[in-house]
Amino acid sequence: MAALTPEIVSAHGLSKDEYARICKVLTRDPNLLELGIFSAMWSEHCSYKSSRRFLRNLPTKGPRVLQGPGENAGVVEVGGGMAVAFKMESHNHPSYIEPYQGAATGVGGILRDVFTMGARPIASLNALRFGDPSHPKTARLLEGVVAGIAGYGNCMGVPTVGGEVAFDASYNGNCLVNAFTLGILKADKIFRGTASGVGNPVIYIGARTGRDGIHGATMASAEFDQESEKKRPTVQVGDPFMEKLLLEACLELFKTDCLVGIQDMGAAGLTSSSIEMASRAGSGLLLDIDAVPRRETGMTPYEVMLSESQERMLLVAKKGREKEVYDICDKWDLAHALVGRVTDTGKIVIESKGQAVAELPIAPLTDDAPLYDRPRQRPAWQDELQKLPELPPVTDLKAALLRVLASPTVASKEWVYRQYDHMVRIGTAVRPGQGDAAVVRFTGQREGGVAISVGCNSRWVYLEPRLGAAHAVAETARNVSCVGGEPLAVTDCLNFGNPERPEIMWQFEQACLGIADACNALATPVVSGNVSLYNETEGKGIHPTPMIGMVGLMDDCALHAKSGFVAAGDKVALVGGKGSGHLGGSEFLKVVHGKIAGLPPPLDFAKEKATQKAVRDGVRAGLVKAAHDCSDGGLGVALAEMCFEGGLGCRVTLASKLRPEALLFGEDASRILISYAEGARAQVAAICKAAGAEVEEIGQVGGAALIVEGLVDASVAELRAAWSTAIPSLVGEGIHQAALETVP
């Protein structure tokens, strides 16, 4: 076998020091297959070598937590002997290179992470970031990613019930595709990825292995450059129909007692699944690489071990129970093969044609992988960035409101979610666009369910990472409370630039501390997650984006609040106060003044909890009909959006000494607009008082206009037109009609 050159080692994403460490561990040089295995397992994507030390700051335990980080998904108990498994993961790099398949296989991967725990997936969400709307790649990436998510999720029969989409020039060269899935399972029937029991069979099931996705994990651990477009072979190809068969077969297997452990073949494929299962059990594995089912001829052991072909699982069964596994696989028309045995050697030994082609100790590949304490430094430009410039007064607040509503980040996402099947399985109680969070009933139940929200204001994290990340937790919890849910636990997807730059690692450390601050304060532990680094192109990084997925419990899904006004004559109130008119990092500042500057608003956790409890209790009592968080665009946008769902206007009075634009567009935290019947006024006030939350009645629902006394008087139709056409225009829909309307 040819000697490994420095060029080969470098092409595998390994440094000189890392290669020297491998040679020391083995007391010899590795062969190419062994080098490939180390490359995959020591990649940022698999080893978290730059991030692990900071993830330890996150709270991961709680009275409802049945499984925290370290498995395929987190599991939280929800009562009645049931639990939910959920996780969020990134598929950023593949989606930029090949948007349809990158996004589709991201959905497929997160579905497998959830159902490998023994759960039936009942809901998916996504959080997407794209570049400036005028950038030549933005429309193509948006269309391709949304089509990929829809194409896979719709075929799987799992509803896509919500999500978040935002646009900023920092994502021009690196879009973000973060996929979330939640499933339901019995609390005492959790399956884990473990390979225990010496002599137990290791069985491969699912799609056959091809050459797609080789080096996918390594690619996801490097920044982009001008050559990145040539990396299409490292993007996997998905088959949702095969995944549906795999899902049903796995759920049938879970009903037996023949399984010891099961693991999705995700990043690094057979390599990571086998090694991680052995690591968790403290065991070893003997694999026969020739037994792996393939769809291409002439594949080498290197290609088979590092392929990231989709829709595959590796499981360990009880010895003597192999036929039960094979029979179920045959029923669902899945390829299957006995590919190895569990050993007690603490090593993975891979054989081909009766000869060992790789022999590696497990521990150095997993728990003893490199752990870096990379330099961290607050950027020199951070102080200047946080200075809020003097802003000229806005003379036309209606025009400013129209501009903010037409910002693609704020505007209606109907063009996106109308492509998703959000009603399959008929469990969706609050659909996309109807509420601040999605609400999904538990399978087979009329009452209980979950409220789910994903989100992150990346501008705020860019301006002050610790505070911005804390806001991401608080806002997603607020969204859950707005529909009547009790926030339970968090999954995160931490998207950052190159960790070898001290300012990026400073952002990362601060963001982890901010998430910990908020999760501790709100009692929402982090039970699963993902880190995505090297989101850079030619040295330009994305805004730090620690995406948060919040899961809340609904005792009765019928008692929920939507985000739009329900009936004329209802009263409108603001819970949490008018705030101080905070414009730092606001959508108004970016859209109207073209600036990203200042500090995010302060976050008072006691006030946050009181505001959320007041609204949640009001919704659960059947008193609060509509509830909407004041976030991007402030009170002006929140009021307008509440008018859109039912086409009902409102008239409100906001007595304040604040500058009009600060009052209307300030994004102060911990504020929720609500509406309720006039007869419920005293009860709502009592609930808010009991929760310790400030509440002020500010107006009434009715008419066809949004009237903020002395500030704005605009028809709902005019405001809605600006809000509803921004994204269709971005992708080219509606252009011809607009052109016709300008013809004399």
Side-chain angles (χ1 to χ4, degrees):
M1 184 178 290
L4 298 176
T5 65
E7 290 76 20
I8 292 174
V9 173
S10 177
H12 280 75
L14 293 164
S15 68
K16 291 180 181 178
D17 288 344
E18 287 171 339
Y19 183 70
R21 181 170 174 167
I22 292 168
C23 295
K24 184 177 180 180
V25 164
L26 299 180
T27 66
R28 59 177 172 83
D29 291 339
N31 61 37
L32 182 62
L33 171 57
E34 293 169 333
L35 182 75
I37 290 171
F38 268 104
S39 166
M41 296 304 298
W42 283 10
S43 67
E44 288 285 359
H45 195 81
C46 292
S47 74
Y48 297 99
K49 59 189 175 187
S50 296
S51 59
R52 285 207 311 273
R53 65 175 60 249
F54 305 113
L55 300 177
R56 293 168 183 162
N57 291 316
L58 302 177
T60 60
K61 299 183 185 303
R64 290 182 177 270
V65 177
L66 302 178
Q67 176 63 58
E71 272 291 342
N72 290 288
V75 182
V76 176
E77 184 267 330
V78 291
M82 303 303 292
V84 290
F86 57 93
K87 189 181 183 184
M88 182 161 50
E89 277 214 345
S90 62
H91 231 221
N92 304 335
H93 288 67
S95 298
Y96 184 78
I97 294 171
E98 213 309 296
Y100 184 96
Q101 290 295 348
T105 52
V107 172
I110 198 65
L111 285 165
R112 289 194 301 280
D113 279 342
V114 167
F115 74 73
T116 192
M117 300 299 296
R120 177 176 286 281
I122 61 170
S124 290
L125 295 86
N126 53 76
L128 313 176
R129 290 289 182 276
F130 299 99
D132 189 281
S134 64
H135 191 275
K137 287 187 177 179
T138 296
R140 180 182 69 85
L141 289 170
L142 173 62
E143 290 179 300
V145 164
V146 171
I149 292 169
Y152 208 102
N154 294 356
C155 292
M156 278 294 295
V158 178
T160 301
V161 296
E164 192 210 38
V165 189
F167 300 81
D168 185 86
S170 75
Y171 305 101
N172 282 351
N174 206 126
C175 64
L176 301 185
V177 176
N178 293 176
F180 170 104
T181 289
L182 176 141
I184 187 166
L185 70 161
K186 291 183 178 179
D188 61 352
K189 290 280 283 184
I190 301 172
F191 287 81
R192 295 175 170 88
T194 183
S196 58
V198 173
N200 278 335
V202 179
I203 301 174
Y204 171 119
I205 70 170
R208 296 176 182 274
T209 296
R211 289 186 170 93
D212 49 325
I214 295 172
H215 288 310
T218 309
M219 178 196 69
S221 306
E223 61 182 78
F224 281 165
D225 54 29
Q226 291 180 337
E227 299 298 307
S228 296
E229 293 285 359
K230 298 178 182 177
K231 295 181 178 177
R232 287 179 186 271
T234 60
V235 178
Q236 311 94 319
V237 177
D239 180 351
F241 300 104
M242 176 63 75
E243 178 123 331
K244 176 64 172 172
L245 298 176
L246 182 62
L247 163 64
E248 298 300 338
C250 286
L251 293 177
E252 188 166 335
L253 282 166
F254 297 147
K255 292 177 182 177
T256 74
D257 66 343
C258 67
L259 294 187
V260 173
I262 183 167
Q263 175 89 4
D264 163 40
M265 290 191 222
L270 184 55
T271 289
S272 63
S273 57
S274 58
I275 291 169
E276 287 174 5
M277 289 179 81
S279 174
R280 292 188 188 111
S283 64
L285 290 176
L286 175 64
L287 295 183
D288 176 7
I289 200 71
D290 299 331
V292 173
R294 311 172 194 207
R295 67 169 186 264
E296 298 185 46
T297 58
M299 291 185 71
T300 65
Y302 179 98
E303 291 173 323
V304 174
M305 285 299 296
L306 293 173
S307 167
E308 293 186 7
S309 293
Q310 296 291 284
E311 295 88 40
R312 302 179 301 160
M313 289 279 186
L314 193 67
L315 56 88
V316 174
K318 295 176 181 176
K319 191 173 182 179
R321 306 288 294 276
E322 295 91 338
K323 187 175 185 302
E324 292 175 59
V325 176
Y326 302 157
D327 287 347
I328 290 173
C329 289
D330 287 337
K331 173 184 174 180
W332 292 101
D333 200 22
L334 295 177
H336 55 82
L338 175 67
V339 296
R341 297 279 177 186
V342 177
T343 68
D344 60 0
T345 63
K347 296 181 179 181
I348 181 168
V349 179
I350 302 166
E351 292 185 345
S352 177
K353 298 180 174 62
Q355 300 293 317
V357 292
E359 183 173 342
L360 299 171
I362 298 287
L365 290 164
T366 53
D367 294 343
D368 298 337
L371 176 61
Y372 294 128
D373 187 7
R374 296 198 185 274
R376 301 176 294 287
Q377 184 174 354
R378 189 174 188 269
W381 41 260
Q382 198 79 31
D383 286 339
E384 191 63 30
L385 182 70
Q386 292 177 349
K387 293 178 181 177
L388 189 65
E390 283 292 323
L391 302 175
V394 174
T395 56
D396 190 341
L397 291 170
K398 175 183 170 182
L401 179 57
L402 286 166
R403 286 185 64 183
V404 176
L405 286 168
S407 163
T409 294
V410 170
S412 168
K413 306 306 185 296
E414 184 179 0
W415 180 89
V416 175
Y417 64 71
R418 76 183 184 201
Q419 299 183 52
Y420 304 148
D421 187 340
H422 45 261
M423 288 304 294
V424 65
R425 300 187 63 81
I426 62 169
T428 311
V430 176
R431 303 195 296 271
Q434 291 187 330
D436 281 21
V439 175
V440 182
R441 295 182 189 88
F442 291 141
T443 306
Q445 295 189 26
R446 294 177 59 86
E447 296 179 353
V450 285
I452 337 168
S453 174
V454 294
C456 173
N457 187 325
S458 50
R459 281 196 312 276
W460 288 1
V461 186
Y462 174 59
L463 293 170
E464 184 54 55
R466 185 166 184 167
L467 178 56
H471 271 294
V473 176
E475 185 180 341
T476 51
R478 204 179 309 136
N479 291 336
V480 163
S481 292
C482 279
V483 297
E486 176 194 353
L488 292 184
V490 160
T491 182
D492 59 33
C493 196
L494 309 179
N495 307 273
F496 288 78
N498 185 342
E500 296 165 48
R501 293 204 283 136
E503 63 269 29
I504 301 299
M505 282 315 299
W506 175 80
Q507 290 176 337
F508 187 89
E509 179 182 29
Q510 292 297 306
C512 287
L513 292 172
I515 293 170
D517 291 340
C519 287
N520 280 318
L522 300 177
T524 54
V526 180
V527 299
S528 60
N530 172 239
V531 175
S532 174
L533 301 176
Y534 292 97
N535 289 289
E536 296 204 0
T537 299
E538 298 182 350
K540 183 172 176 58
I542 62 164
H543 282 172
T545 311
M547 192 63 64
I548 299 297
M550 179 68 70
V551 174
L553 182 62
M554 297 289 292
D555 290 337
D556 186 347
C557 291
L559 285 174
H560 64 254
K562 296 181 180 177
S563 58
F565 293 132
V566 175
D570 284 351
K571 297 301 180 181
V572 181
L574 179 59
V575 183
K578 296 190 187 76
S580 60
H582 196 98
L583 291 174
S586 65
E587 190 71 19
F588 166 83
L589 187 65
K590 180 184 179 186
V591 171
V592 176
H593 295 285
K595 298 180 185 299
I596 297 176
L599 282 166
L603 180 57
D604 180 332
F605 289 119
K607 179 182 177 182
E608 182 69 45
K609 289 195 287 186
T611 298
Q612 290 191 34
K613 178 171 172 49
V615 173
R616 183 168 61 246
D617 289 351
V619 173
R620 290 183 162 193
L623 300 170
V624 172
K625 296 183 181 181
H628 191 24
D629 169 34
C630 296
S631 54
D632 286 344
L635 279 169
V637 165
L639 284 165
E641 289 176 337
M642 293 187 83
C643 295
F644 295 154
E645 178 69 20
L648 289 166
C650 69
R651 180 186 292 269
V652 300
T653 301
L654 299 172
S656 174
K657 296 180 180 179
L658 296 172
R659 286 175 58 176
E661 59 267 41
L663 175 63
L664 204 61
F665 299 110
E667 296 182 3
D668 297 76
S670 313
R671 299 180 301 159
I672 299 172
L673 283 164
I674 62 173
S675 69
Y676 47 84
E678 184 172 3
R681 176 186 287 151
Q683 291 168 284
V684 170
I687 286 172
C688 291
K689 183 178 180 180
E694 178 184 353
V695 62
E696 179 185 355
E697 197 171 281
I698 59 174
Q700 183 167 299
V701 178
L706 168 60
I707 300 171
V708 183
E709 295 285 2
L711 300 179
V712 171
D713 186 339
S715 74
V716 173
E718 182 180 8
L719 296 173
R720 185 180 175 85
W723 175 78
S724 62
T725 56
I727 290 183
S729 295
L730 192 161
V731 295
E733 293 186 12
I735 290 177
H736 300 302
Q737 182 63 35
L740 287 173
E741 290 172 357
T742 62
V743 175

